[in-house]
Amino acid sequence: MASVTSLSDSVQQHLASALSAVRPEAAGADPLLRRSDRADYQANGILALAKKAKANPRELAAEVVAHVVTGDELIKDVEVSGPGFLNLTIADRAITANLAARYADPGRLGVPVASDPGTTVIDYAQPNVAKEMHVGHLRSAVIGDSVVRLLEFTGENVVRRHHIGDWGTQFGMLIQYLDEHPHELDHKDAESLQASGQEAMSNLDRLYKTARKLFDSDEEFKTRSRRRVVDLQAGDPRTLAIWQKFVDESKIYFFSVFDKLDMEIQDADIVGESGYNDMLAETCRLLEESGVAVRSEGALCVFFEDVLGPDGKQVPLIVQKSDGGYGYAATDLSAIRDRVFHLKADTLLYVVDARQALHFRMVFETARRAGWLGDDVKALQLAFGTILGKDGKPFKTREGESVKLVDLLDEAVDRASAVVREKAQDLSEEEIAERGTQVGVGAVKYADLSTSANRDYKFDLDQMVSLNGDTSVYLQYAYARIQSILRKAPEGVRPSAHPELALHEAERALGLHVDAFAETVADAAREYAPHKLAAYLYQLASLYTSFYDKCPVLKAGSPDQVANRLFLCDVTARTLHRGMALLGIRTPGRL
C-alpha cells in the first residue's frame, strides 16, 4: 500500500506553488504551516519572505491568496490575518477522503516507509548477571523497546544490543563458591519459565549473599576467589564453564522479567561485556600506537582539556588499569569498533542513565580521535532521568532498598486488576486477570514514555491506573469503548466513508488529528522521542471523547451518517491501536 500524503503536506505544497507563482525567487521557501485555534491551519512564512523582499507582508499575503485554489477538493477557504498570516480552512470532503485512504491501509494507516533506511544499533535494557533487576532498569528497557518499534516501523534497519554486565572481578568469588558447592543453582521447579525465573533469581541471590559472607570472613576463600579471577580472564575452560552457568541462570530470570514487561528479547541480541573480550588488547594497542591514549602512572589514559577534577587537574578516561585489567571504557570502545565495522551501523544509540553522560562523552570523543567514529556515523546517548517516589526523592522501599522490578510490576497488575474488576460487566475471572496484566503493565510503560526521557518523573501507581487524566488506562478505555460501539452497529451497517457529508466541528477536529498520525510517528522516530507519540495519542482520545459526547453515532440522522461516524470511530480505533503498539502497550477490545 502506498503512503498517504497528509492534508498538511498537501496544503504546504499548494501554498509553496502559490508563493513561487507570486515570487519566483521564493521557490522552495517554507510557508511555515501550523495547526491553529483560529482556523484549521495558519501559515506564517510570508512574514520572513516579505522582510527579505522588502515588501509589505499583508500585500504579499493577499497576492498569494489570489493564487490559492479554493473549493471542495482541499482548501475551502483562505484569508489574510494580522500582519500577514494566512488562515486556512480545509474542506470537509478532503478530510473524509484522506482518512478513507488511510483506512484502506489497516496495517500502516498510510504511514510511509523510509526509501533509503540506515542501520541503527541500539543499546538498551542492560541488566547485570547474578543481580536482581530493580526499578532503575525499567526506563532503559521501556524507552529502548519503544524507540526500536518506532524505528522499525518507519523502515530503519535496527540491530538490538543488550550489553549485560557479565564480566569482572566479582565473578571470581561466585565461581569459586559454586565450584565448592556444585548444587547451589539446581532447579526444583523447571515446569514454567516464570516459576523458574523467580527460582533462578532466588538461587542466585542466596548464593551471592553466602559467597559474599564467606569472602569477607575467610582469608583462604578470598585468596582462592582472587585466583579464580585470573583463571577467568585467562580463559581457563573449567572456570569459563562455571561462569557460563551464572550467565545461563541469569538469562532464565531476565527472560521471565522481560516477558512480564511484554517485551520481546532474543538471545542473539544479548552481547554482554564478555562478548568483546577478544578485542580489548587490540583496542588498547591501536589507541596507544595512534597516540590517542598515553601511559600515565602505569594506566592507559585518554585526557581531555575540558574534563577537570575538583583540583583543576585533567580527569582521564582510563582504558586499561595499571594492573593490566580493563575498565568499562575498553569494552565500550571495542563495542563501537564492532558496531561500526562489523555491523555497519551509521547510528549508535545508547539508552543509558543520564548520570553516565560524562563517561559516554569521553568514550565517543576517544572513538572519534581514533577514527572509529567517522563523520558518517552518529553516536549519541539517549539519557534518561530518575524515577522518583511520591516524596520527590529517588524511588526506594521503606527500608531504603532499591525497589525490585518484579515487585513493582506485580503491584501495578494488582491495582489495575481491581480497576478492571470494578468496571467489568461481562468479563470472566480469566479475562479480568489478562486485562489486569495488560492495563497494569501498560500503565507503568505509559507513565515512563509520556515523560520526556531526560526528565525525572514521580512513580505514583494510584495516578497511573486512574481512568481520568493522561494515563494509558484512559486510552485503553477509549479504544474499548469504540470496539463496543462497533459491535452494537445494526446488522448490515458497516463503517464506510461518505465524503459528500458535511462534518460537525468535533468530527473535523478528530479527523484532522487522525490525519496527523504519520507526521507524529516520523517526528517521534527521528527525535527518538516516544513522549511525542504519547502526547498525540492522549489528545486523540480526548478529541474522540468530545466527538462521542457531541455526535450521536448509532442514532445519527441518516444511514449514511451512521456509516460515516462508524468509519470515524474505526479509523480512530485503528490509530490508537497502532500508536499504542509502537509504545509497546496492548489495547484490549473489551474492558
Side-chain angles (χ1 to χ4, degrees):
M1 178 78 196
S3 63
V4 177
T5 305
S6 67
L7 291 168
S8 64
D9 276 355
S10 299
V11 171
Q12 186 107 348
Q13 289 160 17
H14 203 85
L15 283 180
S17 13
L19 272 170
S20 53
V22 171
R23 298 273 164 154
E25 70 276 13
D30 186 351
L32 296 178
L33 196 68
R34 303 281 178 273
R35 286 300 308 276
S36 166
D37 52 3
R38 307 199 170 187
D40 293 334
Y41 293 102
Q42 189 173 70
N44 304 338
I46 286 172
L47 297 177
L49 276 175
K51 194 174 180 184
K52 207 171 171 185
K54 297 191 169 53
N56 177 310
R58 272 191 74 89
E59 286 171 15
L60 181 57
E63 286 178 56
V64 172
V65 166
H67 282 78
V68 173
V69 178
T70 55
D72 276 352
E73 293 312 307
L74 180 62
I75 299 168
K76 182 183 176 187
D77 185 43
V78 56
E79 60 177 29
V80 180
S81 154
F85 302 136
L86 296 184
N87 284 344
L88 300 110
T89 304
I90 306 299
D92 290 354
R93 170 182 289 280
I95 295 173
T96 307
N98 236 44
L99 292 186
R102 296 196 181 285
Y103 191 68
D105 178 20
R108 298 195 57 83
L109 299 167
V111 177
V113 178
S115 53
D116 185 21
T119 297
T120 295
V121 175
I122 176 166
D123 188 326
Y124 69 108
Q126 311 102 342
N128 292 311
V129 164
K131 285 193 180 166
E132 187 138 20
M133 289 173 73
H134 55 78
V135 68
H137 291 108
L138 180 68
R139 298 208 74 183
S140 176
V142 169
I143 295 166
D145 183 54
S146 180
V147 171
V148 166
R149 290 165 185 266
L150 280 162
L151 291 176
E152 286 184 338
F153 189 65
T154 51
E156 181 77 352
N157 301 310
V158 178
V159 181
R160 309 156 192 229
R161 279 290 174 265
H162 307 295
H163 190 89
I164 64 172
D166 66 352
W167 202 251
T169 52
Q170 74 276 21
F171 283 100
M173 173 186 87
L174 297 171
I175 291 166
Q176 187 60 34
Y177 186 83
L178 189 59
D179 197 20
E180 295 174 13
H181 305 81
H183 298 293
E184 282 293 308
L185 292 184
D186 292 353
H187 278 248
K188 296 182 194 72
D189 171 19
E191 288 302 304
S192 81
L193 177 68
Q194 195 158 358
S196 60
Q198 287 161 357
E199 194 189 343
M201 193 60 242
S202 60
N203 280 349
L204 288 164
D205 197 42
R206 188 183 64 248
L207 188 149
Y208 184 89
K209 283 175 179 163
T210 319
R212 182 87 238 178
K213 207 171 179 180
L214 196 58
F215 185 86
D216 291 341
S217 62
D218 183 335
E219 282 303 318
E220 287 181 7
F221 177 72
K222 187 180 277 189
T223 305
R224 294 197 298 277
S225 297
R226 287 186 169 146
R227 210 173 295 136
R228 274 292 174 166
V229 177
V230 179
D231 293 345
L232 178 65
Q233 290 175 339
D236 168 58
R238 180 174 168 75
T239 303
L240 279 175
I242 302 174
W243 166 80
Q244 190 63 50
K245 278 189 181 177
F246 282 101
V247 175
D248 293 343
E249 194 73 3
S250 299
K251 280 184 181 178
I252 293 171
Y253 163 69
F254 295 158
F255 283 125
S256 73
V257 178
F258 289 127
D259 190 50
K260 226 183 230 299
L261 265 172
D262 200 11
M263 270 175 59
E264 192 186 331
I265 287 200
Q266 303 291 342
D267 198 46
D269 303 334
I270 299 177
V271 183
E273 293 166 359
S274 64
Y276 305 99
N277 283 348
D278 295 348
M279 301 175 69
L280 301 178
E282 189 186 23
T283 294
C284 291
R285 181 177 60 75
L286 292 169
L287 288 171
E288 195 167 7
E289 283 176 3
S290 61
V292 171
V294 294
R295 292 278 163 192
S296 174
E297 295 173 28
L300 186 63
C301 302
V302 183
F303 288 92
F304 305 86
E305 285 179 10
D306 59 343
V307 182
L308 305 174
D311 57 0
K313 288 183 180 169
Q314 290 184 10
V315 178
L317 180 71
I318 299 173
V319 186
Q320 189 178 22
K321 301 171 196 165
S322 54
D323 64 3
Y326 299 104
Y328 289 125
T331 310
D332 286 333
L333 288 162
S334 299
I336 286 176
R337 288 174 56 214
D338 178 62
R339 292 167 186 184
V340 172
F341 300 118
H342 174 229
L343 299 175
K344 309 291 184 209
D346 34 45
T347 302
L348 302 179
L349 198 55
Y350 293 78
V351 189
V352 182
D353 188 317
R355 286 171 293 194
Q356 295 189 44
L358 178 60
H359 169 78
F360 278 100
R361 180 157 74 82
M362 292 160 85
V363 164
F364 295 157
E365 174 59 25
T366 300
R368 292 226 176 268
R369 290 180 191 177
W372 303 332
L373 279 179
D375 295 339
D376 53 342
V377 184
K378 180 169 73 172
L380 63 126
Q381 180 193 1
L382 183 50
F384 55 82
T386 306
I387 299 178
L388 308 173
K390 288 183 188 179
D391 58 1
K393 294 174 181 164
F395 194 29
K396 302 272 186 197
T397 64
R398 283 180 185 161
E399 294 74 38
E401 307 264 319
S402 286
V403 178
K404 293 176 181 177
L405 187 48
V406 168
D407 292 350
L408 180 143
L409 294 174
D410 286 344
E411 191 182 346
V413 168
D414 288 347
R415 297 276 188 98
S417 300
V419 172
V420 172
R421 176 173 277 107
E422 201 179 301
K423 281 277 188 180
Q425 289 162 356
D426 53 355
L427 296 180
S428 67
E429 276 303 309
E430 197 181 331
E431 287 172 320
I432 288 172
E434 185 197 6
R435 305 298 194 279
T437 301
Q438 294 176 347
V439 170
V441 173
V444 170
K445 287 184 174 184
Y446 186 84
D448 197 313
L449 295 170
S450 57
T451 308
S452 171
N454 56 14
R455 287 177 52 201
D456 299 344
Y457 77 94
K458 284 187 185 174
F459 196 93
D460 180 350
L461 270 179
D462 293 329
Q463 173 53 32
M464 287 179 191
V465 297
S466 166
L467 293 170
N468 305 312
D470 188 1
T471 66
S472 69
V473 196
Y474 176 68
L475 303 181
Q476 286 168 321
Y477 266 99
Y479 179 80
R481 175 191 271 175
I482 297 173
Q483 296 308 317
S484 169
I485 292 170
L486 294 171
R487 285 193 294 273
K488 289 176 188 164
E491 210 169 317
V493 180
R494 307 294 316 136
S496 60
H498 287 270
E500 73 283 358
L501 293 177
L503 297 177
H504 182 281
E505 206 46 54
E507 291 176 294
R508 291 175 52 80
L510 178 62
L512 285 166
H513 193 68
V514 169
D515 185 63
F517 179 63
E519 290 165 322
T520 306
V521 167
D523 282 352
R526 186 174 54 251
E527 296 172 31
Y528 314 118
H531 71 278
K532 293 200 162 183
L533 177 59
Y536 167 90
L537 293 170
Y538 174 59
Q539 199 181 347
L540 178 63
S542 305
L543 288 167
Y544 178 78
T545 303
S546 174
F547 155 78
Y548 178 79
D549 290 344
K550 293 172 184 166
C551 303
V553 177
L554 300 177
K555 293 183 178 171
S558 69
D560 282 358
Q561 195 169 44
V562 172
N564 198 59
R565 284 183 177 170
L566 282 171
F567 153 74
L568 262 177
C569 289
D570 204 8
V571 75
T572 301
R574 289 179 185 188
T575 307
L576 273 171
H577 173 75
R578 171 52 60 203
M580 291 288 266
L582 292 173
L583 297 179
I585 299 173
R586 305 263 175 185
T587 40
R590 287 175 194 266
L591 273 176

